[in-house]
Amino acid sequence: MKAAVARSEVERKTARQSAAQVQRAAQGRAPKGMRPLGYTVAGGIIAHEAEAVRAIFIAFNAGSSLSAITAALSGEVSERTLPKVPALPRHRRTVTIERNDRREAESKSLPKEKQRRLRPVPANGPWPPSTVLGILRNPRYAGYTTYTPNNVQAGGGKRRSWRASILRDEAGEPVRGQWDPIVDEGTWSAVQDRLDSTDRVTNRVGTERRHLGSGLYRCGVCDQRLRSHSGSYRCAGHITRSREQVDEFVTATIRARLARPVPADPLPSQDEPRLKEIKAEIGTHRARIARAQRDYDDAVIEGRDLKRVREHEEAAISTLNAERVRLSTNATAGVVLAAAHPVTASQAADLGAKRGVIESLCEVRLLPHRRGVKAFDPESVQISWR
């Protein structure tokens, strides 16, 4: 009987706690427990951590891998890391130190026997990719409040659908939290699309490329993809080419392509009806800006009216451009190709984004180098634009 009473009390306590959590989430209040990176326990923003979170989302959306981002967070510098993602101590270590400081401050006014013991502080080791994945998946960064008793499977697959954890009201609309979002909804949604994509290769050893053309360039003899080995790109029995010389030539050619003023649109064309519609809609919005500018020059409208029209139309153009990039290119190249200054964006991009740009714009084939010629021969690198 005592066991039955105890079990019943545990079940009632669990139900009360669950109801309280649902109520807290429905009110948009920050959940209790370990604070996420960038937020205080009460939901306030920690500026330097929030900047790191934004950098993580931007980097991943630009094509960077989880391992490259974790390397940058851990302070490791290599050609695959991102200098724009700041190095930070492990989040669990930071939170443990904060909790110990709070316990120590609360214990000063208590007798020695009632003072709370301090927890061991974890060592500041490298960030694990799973932590970065949790950051990218967390809907709280887009301002959504969440609650789900069990992780919901997306379409019965292995990947968890974090969109399903977003709490919705009776009308089916997402419940917004009482905290400021760190990233906008569009960025968070784009990251989820990339994470949910079945084309992503995960949990595989050695899938991340370490060189620009490895697995991307093709042999000009047999059309097989080339491998990198000892400073060269190789196809057994056909070609062996200097990796440094080929990469420099391809990079310079891509930058020249991005720098061309005409055509102004560097994105490869696709036979998509929606792309034609988007181009027409962008032209309509630009025509409205031009018409408002003429009306202002003729003193038909005032400066504030011109400003209002320009801001409204430019916001619509920005949204259409983002959709155009998604339809025209792969996710890794989108940020570079849609940038106001693609050449500058290309120079600042990491290896994954640079590979994505090449894959979106062209195909690169290497031919055998002419015998007896020591100088690099540009004609031995065939670049076919898409």
Side-chain angles (χ1 to χ4, degrees):
M1 289 179 62
K2 289 182 178 180
V5 171
R7 184 167 56 252
S8 177
E9 179 58 30
V10 168
E11 292 174 354
R12 284 195 296 270
K13 181 179 179 181
T14 302
R16 289 195 301 268
Q17 291 175 340
S18 298
Q21 291 173 0
V22 173
Q23 184 183 43
R24 189 180 185 90
Q27 294 172 349
R29 298 163 61 192
K32 294 182 178 180
M34 185 172 180
R35 69 172 184 83
L37 183 71
Y39 286 113
T40 64
V41 177
I45 287 182
I46 302 174
H48 73 283
E49 290 187 359
E51 287 300 321
V53 171
R54 293 189 191 96
I56 290 171
F57 273 87
I58 292 173
F60 186 80
N61 212 19
S64 299
S65 63
L66 293 179
S67 59
I69 296 174
T70 54
L73 282 171
S74 303
E76 301 174 8
V77 179
S78 73
E79 64 175 343
R80 296 181 294 131
T81 58
L82 298 169
K84 292 185 178 181
V85 177
L88 291 176
R90 288 275 303 267
H91 186 53
R92 185 171 294 278
R93 173 184 172 84
T94 301
V95 171
T96 302
I97 293 174
E98 292 173 350
R99 289 176 173 176
N100 282 345
D101 291 342
R102 188 163 56 249
R103 290 189 183 99
E104 191 173 7
E106 294 172 352
S107 298
K108 287 182 179 179
S109 58
L110 299 176
K112 188 174 181 178
E113 62 274 7
K114 292 186 178 181
Q115 292 181 0
R116 302 177 64 184
R117 296 171 56 186
L118 302 183
R119 299 290 179 86
V121 178
N124 187 25
W127 284 66
S130 59
T131 300
V132 176
L133 178 61
I135 292 172
L136 293 170
R137 282 297 198 184
N138 195 341
R140 285 192 60 190
Y141 290 117
Y144 296 119
T145 183
T146 62
Y147 177 78
T148 177
N150 297 305
N151 290 321
V152 181
Q153 300 293 333
K158 294 181 179 180
R159 291 187 176 91
R160 292 180 294 181
S161 175
W162 286 73
R163 287 188 176 94
S165 68
I166 298 174
L167 190 67
R168 298 181 179 274
D169 57 21
E170 295 179 354
E173 295 298 322
V175 178
R176 307 295 300 186
Q178 297 180 12
W179 57 84
D180 294 328
I182 292 179
V183 299
D184 60 84
E185 299 173 41
T187 299
W188 186 84
S189 182
V191 167
Q192 305 317 301
D193 290 340
R194 187 180 174 209
L195 288 172
D196 291 338
S197 173
T198 55
D199 295 334
R200 286 190 69 239
V201 180
T202 58
N203 296 326
R204 296 276 300 277
V205 177
T207 55
E208 184 187 1
R209 302 296 183 180
R210 291 169 170 79
H211 304 290
L212 186 64
S214 179
L216 183 61
Y217 301 161
R218 291 181 177 272
C219 174
V221 179
C222 66
D223 206 40
Q224 294 296 317
R225 295 187 182 274
L226 302 178
R227 295 183 179 182
S228 178
H229 180 71
S230 299
S232 302
Y233 291 120
R234 293 185 178 183
C235 178
H238 292 150
I239 62 171
T240 300
R241 300 297 306 275
S242 169
R243 186 173 64 224
E244 182 179 357
Q245 289 180 337
V246 173
D247 286 349
E248 287 181 357
F249 177 76
V250 172
T251 300
T253 305
I254 292 294
R255 288 178 181 173
R257 171 81 172 191
L258 295 176
R260 280 185 356 193
V262 179
D265 188 355
L267 296 177
S269 60
Q270 301 285 342
D271 186 16
E272 289 280 352
R274 177 55 184 158
L275 283 176
K276 296 179 181 179
E277 295 177 3
I278 290 174
K279 289 182 179 179
E281 292 176 17
I282 290 177
T284 301
H285 290 295
R286 286 176 176 164
R288 290 173 182 170
I289 294 176
R291 184 168 60 249
Q293 183 65 54
R294 289 194 299 269
D295 290 343
Y296 173 74
D297 294 338
D298 296 338
V300 177
I301 62 175
E302 298 182 359
R304 62 174 177 270
D305 298 320
L306 174 61
K307 181 175 181 292
R308 175 177 51 80
V309 172
R310 180 180 289 118
E311 289 178 349
H312 181 270
E313 301 303 326
E314 287 180 349
I317 291 173
S318 178
T319 301
L320 290 170
N321 273 329
E323 183 181 356
R324 177 176 60 96
V325 168
R326 289 195 299 271
L327 292 175
S328 301
T329 68
N330 57 47
T332 60
V335 172
V336 174
L337 297 179
H341 304 284
V343 176
T344 303
S346 170
Q347 293 172 341
D350 76 323
L351 184 63
K354 290 177 181 177
R355 286 172 55 86
V357 171
I358 295 174
E359 189 175 13
S360 295
L361 294 182
C362 63
E363 287 186 348
V364 179
R365 289 178 172 82
L366 305 186
L367 299 175
H369 201 282
R370 290 183 297 172
R371 292 184 178 181
V373 179
K374 294 183 179 180
F376 175 75
D377 182 11
E379 294 184 359
S380 65
V381 181
Q382 295 181 343
I383 298 180
S384 305
W385 302 105
R386 298 186 189 278

